[in-house]
Amino acid sequence: MHAAVVSTFDKPPAYREFPRPTPQSPDEMLVDVVAAGLHRRVRSQADGSHYTSTGELPLVPGIDGVGRAPDGSLRYFVLPDTAVGAIAEQTVIDRRRSFVLPDGADPVLVAAAMNPVMSSWVALRRRIDFEPGSTVLVLGATGSAGRMAVQVAKRLGAGRVIGAGRNPGRLAALTERGADQTIQLDTGVSDLARAAADVDVVIDYLWGATAAEAMAGIAARRSEPGKPLSWIQIGSVAGASADIPSAALRAIRLQIVGSGQGSVPARDLLAELPAIVDEITRVGYELDVRAVPLSDVEAAWSDAATEQRIVFIPA
């Protein structure tokens, strides 16, 4: 079969032959991949920078997708850590980590939206006790997952959502996606700290110095120090580590939790998937999707300038 094959971590995957995988247990099945998304998580898998990377090569990247099962049904699936991922003509899935899509579901849209929607959805549903009416700050709201997080927070009952990011064009568009206020980070975080001083939840896709500075600023300006603040760390676009000020931990009622692979049990993640698919197919989320033939994987992978969510389909 053909697949996107990573032979070295410093080059994009190439379209080439790769051994067809075979099921190893009664719970596994070989599916024909119909659609597989190119997520940020997939890029870090392919360049070896993700915290789960073992350094094993060659590998086929791809962590989820939609496949056609032997019975003809379309299944959304999430893969375990494996060297044979979803960006291929075929892959092996565990039926317990998949489910049949409802009639009429668009497999390309599902493959594009599930991962970015899932990051904030699972964080709010499974990592904290999220209260309807809460005020939510999305830190890194101009990224793909951040833009979806604004919509997800509203769908799950947030009373007010503040989006913070650097891209002015994308920030302006966030108001149409449910943001009640936007803050541009290019001028520093002082405006952010004032606007978000009394938020209930921070969904953080940035981390690094930006998060540390924002945390310190919010702590210094909070009107009710005893009011709980849940800081959910999901991404690290601005840096893998952050110098957290000790005063922020002592001066306010702050809890910092992570949400990602490992911190969310697989059973909790899988339990949320049907509801997320229902949201994507029934309600819809604003997402610019581009379907790309698998054979064009190398060119599409290198197209870093695109704002579209790339989904690989059969060549």
Side-chain angles (χ1 to χ4, degrees):
M1 71 169 188
H2 282 89
V5 181
V6 177
S7 300
T8 175
F9 288 129
D10 59 358
K11 292 182 180 179
Y15 178 72
R16 61 180 57 172
E17 290 279 352
F18 195 83
R20 179 178 287 104
T22 56
Q24 300 297 312
S25 75
D27 291 316
E28 293 183 340
M29 68 173 74
L30 182 70
V31 299
D32 295 325
V33 178
V34 175
L38 176 54
H39 318 303
R40 182 179 292 274
R41 165 69 176 83
V42 175
R43 287 187 181 276
S44 64
Q45 176 192 28
D47 66 20
S49 65
H50 195 263
Y51 62 86
T52 62
S53 177
T54 64
E56 179 182 358
L57 290 175
L59 69 83
V60 175
I63 58 173
D64 69 342
V66 175
R68 190 170 298 280
D71 65 2
S73 63
L74 287 176
R75 284 180 170 266
Y76 173 75
F77 59 85
V78 178
L79 295 177
D81 290 331
T82 175
V84 187
I87 305 180
E89 291 178 333
Q90 295 178 304
T91 195
V92 169
I93 69 170
D94 187 324
R95 69 183 73 246
R96 296 168 300 180
R97 298 170 65 97
S98 72
F99 64 94
V100 177
L101 293 181
D103 292 340
D106 181 350
V108 172
L109 178 61
V110 170
M114 280 296 287
N115 180 265
V117 170
M118 190 188 310
S119 71
S120 53
W121 180 287
V122 171
L124 293 175
R125 292 267 299 159
R126 294 288 177 168
R127 294 299 286 134
I128 64 171
D129 294 323
F130 182 63
E131 296 289 340
S134 297
T135 298
V136 176
L137 165 65
V138 180
L139 197 56
T142 53
S144 177
R147 282 177 284 173
M148 302 298 276
V150 169
Q151 300 173 71
V152 168
K154 280 290 189 177
R155 290 295 307 164
L156 293 180
R160 181 174 175 78
V161 177
I162 302 170
R166 289 188 167 83
N167 186 304
R170 294 183 187 177
L171 275 178
L174 287 179
T175 56
E176 300 176 0
R177 302 189 179 200
D180 298 284
Q181 183 178 359
T182 59
I183 303 291
Q184 191 165 348
L185 292 176
D186 282 343
T187 56
V189 299
S190 57
D191 290 343
L192 170 66
R194 283 190 292 270
D198 291 317
V199 299
D200 302 295
V201 178
V202 177
I203 301 175
D204 178 13
Y205 289 100
L206 298 182
W207 205 232
T210 302
E213 188 179 350
M215 194 180 296
I218 290 172
R221 292 169 174 81
R222 205 158 177 80
S223 61
E224 297 181 40
K227 178 183 178 181
L229 170 58
S230 297
W231 195 290
I232 314 175
Q233 208 295 302
I234 302 179
S236 54
V237 175
S241 59
D243 293 329
I244 303 303
S246 61
L249 297 174
R250 299 195 306 269
I252 63 173
R253 191 175 172 186
L254 171 67
Q255 65 162 341
I256 304 173
V257 300
S259 185
Q261 191 172 342
S263 62
V264 179
R267 64 179 180 277
D268 289 353
L269 174 65
L270 295 171
E272 296 294 337
L273 296 184
I276 300 174
V277 166
D278 181 66
E279 282 284 304
I280 292 170
T281 57
R282 181 176 57 84
V283 178
Y285 284 82
E286 293 186 30
L287 190 65
D288 188 5
V289 182
R290 175 159 61 102
V292 175
L294 177 62
S295 56
D296 294 337
V297 61
E298 191 167 355
W301 204 280
S302 301
D303 189 7
T306 183
E307 295 183 5
Q308 296 173 311
R309 175 67 64 160
I310 293 173
V311 174
F312 293 108
I313 59 175

